[in-house]
Amino acid sequence: MPVDLPTWGPQRLPVPYAAVWSGERRGSGGALVVRPRGLAYRDETPADRDRHGVLWARVIEEPGAGRPDFGAMHPVRQRAAMLGLRCQVCGGPAGRTSRGWLFLLPDEPAAREPEGALTTKPPLCSPCADLALRHCPHLRTPLATRSRKPRVWGVFGELFAPGAEGPAHFPYAHPATPWLLATQVVLQLTRCTPADLTRS
Ligand SMILES: [Zn+2]
């Protein structure tokens, strides 16, 4: 672990940089309005949209406030880690070799083939990947992969439109993006090779 992470509980579990804390879930939303060209904030500023023009959920940034939710990511820190290819656990540079950046994919059927996989989980550095394997119950048998070209594919968010069925992945080219409220960046992992964590 390259930096001292905050810890939680009697077992002193290290809390990842990207994890959201309960105190950060207090509503900081701001009033959403429906405009002819899509969703907007009543008092919107340029900081409310990403460079593709997609609107983002407003959130408080106060890591350490309340309890950590190890299974959920803070939108601002998740986005910073995804766009800057920073480690989701320590926030430092993600592990990179000639084979690319290190990602851990959950053991789900959709993740069996990492090439082209979509993920909302930022990369990791090698020491933090070892740490995550020891502590994260949902990573019992993860797929470790390196991607030479993780590309920004789109966002995960909620569509404010009739018939919308809960949060989903949307590519940036999707025609419904004006009606989206984004909470996570989605990367597509390409030029993948298996990663051997014991040697990475
Ligand atoms: Zn790390």
Side-chain angles (χ1 to χ4, degrees):
M1 192 160 52
V3 294
D4 286 335
L5 295 173
T7 59
W8 178 256
Q11 293 176 306
R12 298 184 56 76
L13 287 175
V15 181
Y17 154 82
V20 69
W21 293 71
S22 60
E24 296 179 307
R25 287 206 160 119
R26 300 191 310 270
S28 62
L32 287 166
V33 289
V34 173
R35 299 244 156 87
R37 273 190 265 162
L39 202 62
Y41 286 112
R42 195 181 300 280
D43 58 346
E44 191 170 312
T45 72
D48 288 314
R49 292 185 186 269
D50 62 24
R51 65 192 192 91
H52 299 269
V54 171
L55 195 67
W56 276 71
R58 285 181 177 171
V59 281
I60 291 172
E61 277 189 89
E62 203 179 332
R67 304 171 60 89
D69 180 347
F70 290 89
M73 295 206 183
H74 188 277
V76 172
R77 294 193 293 278
Q78 190 265 2
R79 188 170 150 195
M82 293 295 251
L83 300 183
L85 293 168
R86 288 157 64 179
C87 172
Q88 60 173 282
V89 178
C90 68
R96 188 185 184 189
T97 68
S98 60
R99 292 181 156 194
W101 284 274
L102 177 62
F103 288 83
L104 288 183
L105 298 172
D107 183 21
E108 294 165 358
R112 293 273 158 73
E113 174 49 64
E115 184 64 35
L118 301 180
T119 185
T120 55
K121 303 287 187 283
L124 297 101
C125 69
S126 298
C128 289
D130 294 340
L131 189 76
L133 291 178
R134 284 205 303 278
H135 291 295
C136 295
H138 63 280
L139 283 176
R140 291 245 177 269
T141 52
L143 197 63
T145 187
R146 286 191 179 274
S147 167
R148 278 203 189 94
K149 201 165 168 34
R151 96 188 165 82
V152 177
W153 179 87
V155 293
F156 181 82
E158 189 136 15
L159 193 59
F160 283 67
E165 293 178 356
H169 296 72
F170 293 90
Y172 271 121
H174 197 285
T177 52
W179 306 98
L180 265 177
L181 190 64
T183 54
Q184 314 258 285
V185 168
V186 178
L187 291 182
Q188 183 172 42
L189 305 184
T190 68
R191 301 181 64 194
C192 292
T193 45
D196 181 351
L197 285 182
T198 58
R199 289 188 294 129
S200 58

